[in-house]
Amino acid sequence: MAMLEVEAIHTYYGNIHALKGVTLDINEGEVVSLIGGNGAGKTTTLKTISGLMKPRIGAVRFEGEDISKYKAHQLVSKGIAMVPEGRGVFAKLTVQENLAMGAFHRNDRAGIKADIEKSYEMFPRLGERKTQLAGTMSGGEQQMLAVTRALMSQPRLLLMDEPSMGLAPVLVDQIFEAVTSINEDGVTILLVEQNAHMALQVSHRGYVLQTGEIVLSDDAKALQKNEEVQKAYLGH
């Protein structure tokens, strides 16, 4: 049984049919990429999995349980966390306060403190700015904070929505190195990325989404060699 099973979901914005029968699965320990152009439905897929939106038809199962009935904050306690598009940090809280907020459902003080220190080890720049207000930091620093804040909930499944968007190349490399490191620590990852080249490099498998439908799926290396994928998403 796959850790995450998305079965023929149809999700709407009012009367707009955004997802048209999306089906995908992720096995424990994998990094799986979801790639596609603007408006393909990538973010909507993540929002439907994470409980921010509800499918009208279809099911989302996590470790065998239908989780469509749960709200987003309830899924955090079940082991699902999301790094949202646009970072979504708490601008008027410090770095350290943001990280503490990521552990809102935990009560193990020593463990929370240790995980905050682990965040600073992953991204030393955050440690240098632990008392700085998050809203005054650069986009790259806020992205580092968004990733580590999500990890503070100790997720088994991490959903990442465009983590490299708007970042300088050196910071993009750091973020994708972090994706690999997080996965090596045992976290399963569903990665939505417009930077398909980098996403497929760190993934085991991938899905291609077009206008709300999965049109292709394969292991990551095969997708990198696929001519259609190369033309449409890899700039070849």
Side-chain angles (χ1 to χ4, degrees), residues 91-144:
K92 295 185 178 181
L93 298 182
T94 66
V95 167
Q96 189 133 327
E97 288 167 341
N98 266 269
L99 292 173
M101 288 292 286
F104 72 91
H105 71 292
R106 297 170 58 184
N107 53 22
D108 57 323
R109 286 190 177 181
I112 291 170
K113 185 177 179 180
D115 283 345
I116 287 175
E117 291 304 316
K118 191 175 179 181
S119 299
Y120 298 151
E121 290 171 14
M122 179 179 289
F123 295 118
R125 198 175 301 187
L126 293 181
E128 296 167 5
R129 289 159 169 71
K130 64 176 73 172
T131 60
Q132 185 172 332
L133 295 182
T136 65
M137 298 197 305
S138 71
E141 291 162 349
Q142 289 186 24
Q143 188 63 66
M144 294 172 190

Side-chain angles (χ1 to χ4, degrees), residues 135-155:
T136 65
M137 298 197 305
S138 71
E141 291 162 349
Q142 289 186 24
Q143 188 63 66
M144 294 172 190
L145 181 56
V147 170
T148 48
R149 183 186 60 187
L151 292 176
M152 287 298 299
S153 69
Q154 297 182 317

